[in-house]
mmCIF file of all heavy atoms in Angstrom:
data_model
loop_
_atom_site.group_PDB
_atom_site.id
_atom_site.type_symbol
_atom_site.label_atom_id
_atom_site.label_comp_id
_atom_site.label_asym_id
_atom_site.label_seq_id
_atom_site.Cartn_x
_atom_site.Cartn_y
_atom_site.Cartn_z
ATOM 1 N N ASN A 1 120.056 86.678 104.429
ATOM 2 C CA ASN A 1 120.728 87.851 104.974
ATOM 3 C C ASN A 1 120.339 89.062 104.143
ATOM 4 O O ASN A 1 120.392 89.026 102.915
ATOM 5 C CB ASN A 1 122.245 87.675 104.954
ATOM 6 C CG ASN A 1 122.724 86.660 105.963
ATOM 7 O OD1 ASN A 1 122.062 86.399 106.965
ATOM 8 N ND2 ASN A 1 123.888 86.083 105.704
ATOM 9 N N ILE A 2 119.968 90.119 104.823
ATOM 10 C CA ILE A 2 119.489 91.326 104.161
ATOM 11 C C ILE A 2 120.263 92.522 104.680
ATOM 12 O O ILE A 2 120.500 92.641 105.883
ATOM 13 C CB ILE A 2 117.982 91.529 104.401
ATOM 14 C CG1 ILE A 2 117.190 90.310 103.903
ATOM 15 C CG2 ILE A 2 117.493 92.797 103.714
ATOM 16 C CD1 ILE A 2 115.728 90.336 104.270
ATOM 17 N N TYR A 3 120.625 93.418 103.790
ATOM 18 C CA TYR A 3 121.329 94.615 104.204
ATOM 19 C C TYR A 3 120.905 95.782 103.317
ATOM 20 O O TYR A 3 120.486 95.601 102.180
ATOM 21 C CB TYR A 3 122.849 94.427 104.183
ATOM 22 C CG TYR A 3 123.372 93.616 103.026
ATOM 23 C CD1 TYR A 3 123.870 94.222 101.884
ATOM 24 C CD2 TYR A 3 123.383 92.225 103.085
ATOM 25 C CE1 TYR A 3 124.354 93.477 100.826
ATOM 26 C CE2 TYR A 3 123.863 91.465 102.035
ATOM 27 C CZ TYR A 3 124.350 92.095 100.906
ATOM 28 O OH TYR A 3 124.832 91.344 99.862
ATOM 29 N N TYR A 4 121.035 96.987 103.866
ATOM 30 C CA TYR A 4 120.529 98.180 103.225
ATOM 31 C C TYR A 4 121.568 99.293 103.240
ATOM 32 O O TYR A 4 122.453 99.327 104.090
ATOM 33 C CB TYR A 4 119.286 98.702 103.944
ATOM 34 C CG TYR A 4 118.187 97.690 104.120
ATOM 35 C CD1 TYR A 4 118.093 96.928 105.277
ATOM 36 C CD2 TYR A 4 117.235 97.499 103.135
ATOM 37 C CE1 TYR A 4 117.076 96.002 105.446
ATOM 38 C CE2 TYR A 4 116.212 96.576 103.295
ATOM 39 C CZ TYR A 4 116.144 95.832 104.450
ATOM 40 O OH TYR A 4 115.131 94.913 104.616
ATOM 41 N N SER A 5 121.410 100.200 102.310
ATOM 42 C CA SER A 5 122.195 101.417 102.373
ATOM 43 C C SER A 5 121.671 102.299 103.501
ATOM 44 O O SER A 5 120.511 102.198 103.914
ATOM 45 C CB SER A 5 122.139 102.173 101.043
ATOM 46 O OG SER A 5 120.842 102.701 100.816
ATOM 47 N N ASP A 6 122.522 103.179 103.992
ATOM 48 C CA ASP A 6 122.125 104.043 105.095
ATOM 49 C C ASP A 6 120.970 104.961 104.722
ATOM 50 O O ASP A 6 120.171 105.340 105.581
ATOM 51 C CB ASP A 6 123.315 104.885 105.566
ATOM 52 C CG ASP A 6 124.369 104.056 106.267
ATOM 53 O OD1 ASP A 6 124.044 102.952 106.748
ATOM 54 O OD2 ASP A 6 125.522 104.521 106.348
ATOM 55 N N SER A 7 120.868 105.305 103.468
ATOM 56 C CA SER A 7 119.851 106.250 103.045
ATOM 57 C C SER A 7 118.435 105.706 103.150
ATOM 58 O O SER A 7 117.476 106.477 103.177
ATOM 59 C CB SER A 7 120.120 106.712 101.607
ATOM 60 O OG SER A 7 120.036 105.629 100.700
ATOM 61 N N VAL A 8 118.287 104.392 103.206
ATOM 62 C CA VAL A 8 116.950 103.801 103.239
ATOM 63 C C VAL A 8 116.685 102.968 104.479
ATOM 64 O O VAL A 8 115.561 102.484 104.660
ATOM 65 C CB VAL A 8 116.677 102.944 101.984
ATOM 66 C CG1 VAL A 8 116.899 103.766 100.721
ATOM 67 C CG2 VAL A 8 117.545 101.696 101.973
ATOM 68 N N LYS A 9 117.663 102.795 105.322
ATOM 69 C CA LYS A 9 117.473 102.007 106.539
ATOM 70 C C LYS A 9 116.345 102.584 107.384
ATOM 71 O O LYS A 9 116.251 103.787 107.588
ATOM 72 C CB LYS A 9 118.757 101.973 107.362
ATOM 73 C CG LYS A 9 119.828 101.053 106.820
ATOM 74 C CD LYS A 9 121.041 101.051 107.726
ATOM 75 C CE LYS A 9 122.122 100.124 107.202
ATOM 76 N NZ LYS A 9 123.340 100.165 108.046
ATOM 77 N N GLY A 10 115.495 101.692 107.848
ATOM 78 C CA GLY A 10 114.368 102.104 108.654
ATOM 79 C C GLY A 10 113.138 102.473 107.856
ATOM 80 O O GLY A 10 112.048 102.592 108.423
ATOM 81 N N ARG A 11 113.286 102.656 106.554
ATOM 82 C CA ARG A 11 112.151 103.007 105.700
ATOM 83 C C ARG A 11 111.842 101.930 104.667
ATOM 84 O O ARG A 11 110.680 101.707 104.332
ATOM 85 C CB ARG A 11 112.404 104.331 104.979
ATOM 86 C CG ARG A 11 112.566 105.519 105.905
ATOM 87 C CD ARG A 11 112.583 106.829 105.125
ATOM 88 N NE ARG A 11 113.702 106.894 104.181
ATOM 89 C CZ ARG A 11 113.574 107.032 102.867
ATOM 90 N NH1 ARG A 11 112.368 107.135 102.325
ATOM 91 N NH2 ARG A 11 114.647 107.095 102.091
ATOM 92 N N PHE A 12 112.871 101.293 104.153
ATOM 93 C CA PHE A 12 112.695 100.260 103.140
ATOM 94 C C PHE A 12 112.933 98.892 103.749
ATOM 95 O O PHE A 12 113.712 98.742 104.691
ATOM 96 C CB PHE A 12 113.680 100.456 101.984
ATOM 97 C CG PHE A 12 113.421 101.660 101.123
ATOM 98 C CD1 PHE A 12 112.508 102.632 101.489
ATOM 99 C CD2 PHE A 12 114.117 101.809 99.931
ATOM 100 C CE1 PHE A 12 112.285 103.741 100.692
ATOM 101 C CE2 PHE A 12 113.900 102.909 99.126
ATOM 102 C CZ PHE A 12 112.987 103.880 99.496
ATOM 103 N N ALA A 13 112.275 97.896 103.193
ATOM 104 C CA ALA A 13 112.439 96.531 103.674
ATOM 105 C C ALA A 13 112.393 95.561 102.507
ATOM 106 O O ALA A 13 111.503 95.641 101.666
ATOM 107 C CB ALA A 13 111.365 96.183 104.701
ATOM 108 N N ILE A 14 113.342 94.673 102.472
ATOM 109 C CA ILE A 14 113.404 93.641 101.444
ATOM 110 C C ILE A 14 112.873 92.335 102.009
ATOM 111 O O ILE A 14 113.201 91.952 103.133
ATOM 112 C CB ILE A 14 114.843 93.457 100.938
ATOM 113 C CG1 ILE A 14 115.321 94.725 100.223
ATOM 114 C CG2 ILE A 14 114.953 92.251 100.007
ATOM 115 C CD1 ILE A 14 116.793 94.705 99.864
ATOM 116 N N SER A 15 112.059 91.663 101.230
ATOM 117 C CA SER A 15 111.542 90.362 101.618
ATOM 118 C C SER A 15 111.459 89.470 100.392
ATOM 119 O O SER A 15 111.702 89.924 99.267
ATOM 120 C CB SER A 15 110.171 90.487 102.293
ATOM 121 O OG SER A 15 109.222 91.061 101.407
ATOM 122 N N ARG A 16 111.110 88.227 100.609
ATOM 123 C CA ARG A 16 111.031 87.286 99.498
ATOM 124 C C ARG A 16 109.837 86.369 99.645
ATOM 125 O O ARG A 16 109.327 86.145 100.747
ATOM 126 C CB ARG A 16 112.310 86.453 99.409
ATOM 127 C CG ARG A 16 112.506 85.523 100.603
ATOM 128 C CD ARG A 16 113.772 84.729 100.503
ATOM 129 N NE ARG A 16 113.931 83.824 101.634
ATOM 130 C CZ ARG A 16 114.971 83.048 101.844
ATOM 131 N NH1 ARG A 16 115.978 83.071 100.988
ATOM 132 N NH2 ARG A 16 115.019 82.256 102.906
ATOM 133 N N ASP A 17 109.405 85.831 98.533
ATOM 134 C CA ASP A 17 108.377 84.811 98.488
ATOM 135 C C ASP A 17 108.953 83.665 97.674
ATOM 136 O O ASP A 17 109.034 83.751 96.448
ATOM 137 C CB ASP A 17 107.092 85.345 97.860
ATOM 138 C CG ASP A 17 105.946 84.362 97.924
ATOM 139 O OD1 ASP A 17 106.174 83.148 97.881
ATOM 140 O OD2 ASP A 17 104.782 84.819 98.011
ATOM 141 N N ASN A 18 109.354 82.620 98.357
ATOM 142 C CA ASN A 18 110.006 81.509 97.674
ATOM 143 C C ASN A 18 109.091 80.822 96.659
ATOM 144 O O ASN A 18 109.541 80.400 95.593
ATOM 145 C CB ASN A 18 110.495 80.485 98.692
ATOM 146 C CG ASN A 18 111.664 80.995 99.505
ATOM 147 O OD1 ASN A 18 112.352 81.936 99.118
ATOM 148 N ND2 ASN A 18 111.905 80.359 100.645
ATOM 149 N N ALA A 19 107.818 80.703 96.996
ATOM 150 C CA ALA A 19 106.879 80.042 96.107
ATOM 151 C C ALA A 19 106.738 80.781 94.786
ATOM 152 O O ALA A 19 106.553 80.171 93.733
ATOM 153 C CB ALA A 19 105.517 79.892 96.777
ATOM 154 N N LYS A 20 106.814 82.098 94.840
ATOM 155 C CA LYS A 20 106.687 82.915 93.640
ATOM 156 C C LYS A 20 108.029 83.291 93.035
ATOM 157 O O LYS A 20 108.070 83.928 91.979
ATOM 158 C CB LYS A 20 105.899 84.191 93.949
ATOM 159 C CG LYS A 20 104.473 83.953 94.383
ATOM 160 C CD LYS A 20 103.767 85.270 94.663
ATOM 161 C CE LYS A 20 102.328 85.046 95.075
ATOM 162 N NZ LYS A 20 101.632 86.331 95.363
ATOM 163 N N ASN A 21 109.104 82.900 93.706
ATOM 164 C CA ASN A 21 110.450 83.255 93.273
ATOM 165 C C ASN A 21 110.555 84.762 93.033
ATOM 166 O O ASN A 21 111.067 85.221 92.006
ATOM 167 C CB ASN A 21 110.838 82.480 92.012
ATOM 168 C CG ASN A 21 112.337 82.326 91.863
ATOM 169 O OD1 ASN A 21 113.059 82.216 92.854
ATOM 170 N ND2 ASN A 21 112.824 82.313 90.629
ATOM 171 N N THR A 22 110.076 85.506 94.005
ATOM 172 C CA THR A 22 109.968 86.947 93.882
ATOM 173 C C THR A 22 110.570 87.629 95.105
ATOM 174 O O THR A 22 110.386 87.170 96.232
ATOM 175 C CB THR A 22 108.501 87.368 93.729
ATOM 176 O OG1 THR A 22 107.972 86.805 92.520
ATOM 177 C CG2 THR A 22 108.363 88.879 93.668
ATOM 178 N N VAL A 23 111.267 88.702 94.859
ATOM 179 C CA VAL A 23 111.806 89.549 95.909
ATOM 180 C C VAL A 23 111.057 90.871 95.892
ATOM 181 O O VAL A 23 110.764 91.419 94.823
ATOM 182 C CB VAL A 23 113.318 89.770 95.730
ATOM 183 C CG1 VAL A 23 113.840 90.813 96.720
ATOM 184 C CG2 VAL A 23 114.065 88.462 95.912
ATOM 185 N N TYR A 24 110.762 91.381 97.070
ATOM 186 C CA TYR A 24 110.009 92.614 97.200
ATOM 187 C C TYR A 24 110.857 93.693 97.849
ATOM 188 O O TYR A 24 111.728 93.419 98.672
ATOM 189 C CB TYR A 24 108.755 92.408 98.046
ATOM 190 C CG TYR A 24 107.829 91.353 97.504
ATOM 191 C CD1 TYR A 24 107.841 90.061 98.023
ATOM 192 C CD2 TYR A 24 106.946 91.640 96.475
ATOM 193 C CE1 TYR A 24 106.995 89.090 97.526
ATOM 194 C CE2 TYR A 24 106.095 90.670 95.976
ATOM 195 C CZ TYR A 24 106.120 89.400 96.502
ATOM 196 O OH TYR A 24 105.282 88.442 96.006
ATOM 197 N N LEU A 25 110.569 94.902 97.476
ATOM 198 C CA LEU A 25 111.145 96.061 98.130
ATOM 199 C C LEU A 25 109.993 96.925 98.623
ATOM 200 O O LEU A 25 109.347 97.619 97.835
ATOM 201 C CB LEU A 25 112.049 96.853 97.185
ATOM 202 C CG LEU A 25 112.689 98.114 97.775
ATOM 203 C CD1 LEU A 25 113.662 97.749 98.892
ATOM 204 C CD2 LEU A 25 113.396 98.921 96.694
ATOM 205 N N GLN A 26 109.723 96.839 99.911
ATOM 206 C CA GLN A 26 108.694 97.664 100.524
ATOM 207 C C GLN A 26 109.301 99.016 100.864
ATOM 208 O O GLN A 26 110.288 99.087 101.593
ATOM 209 C CB GLN A 26 108.148 96.998 101.781
ATOM 210 C CG GLN A 26 107.099 97.814 102.524
ATOM 211 C CD GLN A 26 105.812 97.954 101.744
ATOM 212 O OE1 GLN A 26 105.311 96.971 101.200
ATOM 213 N NE2 GLN A 26 105.268 99.161 101.686
ATOM 214 N N MET A 27 108.710 100.064 100.351
ATOM 215 C CA MET A 27 109.222 101.409 100.544
ATOM 216 C C MET A 27 108.184 102.225 101.299
ATOM 217 O O MET A 27 107.067 102.430 100.814
ATOM 218 C CB MET A 27 109.552 102.064 99.200
ATOM 219 C CG MET A 27 110.506 101.248 98.347
ATOM 220 S SD MET A 27 110.959 102.081 96.803
ATOM 221 C CE MET A 27 109.358 102.139 95.996
ATOM 222 N N ASN A 28 108.563 102.677 102.474
ATOM 223 C CA ASN A 28 107.678 103.459 103.319
ATOM 224 C C ASN A 28 108.236 104.861 103.530
ATOM 225 O O ASN A 28 109.437 105.095 103.393
ATOM 226 C CB ASN A 28 107.489 102.776 104.674
ATOM 227 C CG ASN A 28 106.878 101.402 104.558
ATOM 228 O OD1 ASN A 28 105.949 101.187 103.783
ATOM 229 N ND2 ASN A 28 107.389 100.458 105.344
ATOM 230 N N ASN A 29 107.347 105.759 103.891
ATOM 231 C CA ASN A 29 107.732 107.145 104.148
ATOM 232 C C ASN A 29 108.587 107.703 103.019
ATOM 233 O O ASN A 29 109.659 108.267 103.227
ATOM 234 C CB ASN A 29 108.463 107.257 105.484
ATOM 235 C CG ASN A 29 108.616 108.692 105.953
ATOM 236 O OD1 ASN A 29 107.844 109.568 105.572
ATOM 237 N ND2 ASN A 29 109.628 108.944 106.778
ATOM 238 N N LEU A 30 108.093 107.552 101.815
ATOM 239 C CA LEU A 30 108.847 107.987 100.652
ATOM 240 C C LEU A 30 109.001 109.505 100.625
ATOM 241 O O LEU A 30 108.082 110.240 100.986
ATOM 242 C CB LEU A 30 108.163 107.510 99.373
ATOM 243 C CG LEU A 30 108.343 106.019 99.085
ATOM 244 C CD1 LEU A 30 107.286 105.528 98.107
ATOM 245 C CD2 LEU A 30 109.742 105.756 98.544
#
């Protein structure tokens, strides 16, 4: 389950890589 603040909705995206045990924050249109 993923949720965002209103200030970044539609621009930022959270994802994960289980194999690397890593979470990403993709930030677009900065």
Side-chain angles (χ1 to χ4, degrees):
N1 289 336
I2 302 172
Y3 39 97
Y4 306 93
S5 69
D6 290 339
S7 63
V8 305
K9 284 182 180 177
R11 298 189 299 120
F12 291 11
I14 295 172
S15 61
R16 66 181 181 183
D17 186 329
N18 290 340
K20 297 180 179 180
N21 205 33
T22 297
V23 172
Y24 302 99
L25 179 65
Q26 178 68 46
M27 305 183 296
N28 299 318
N29 193 24
L30 285 161

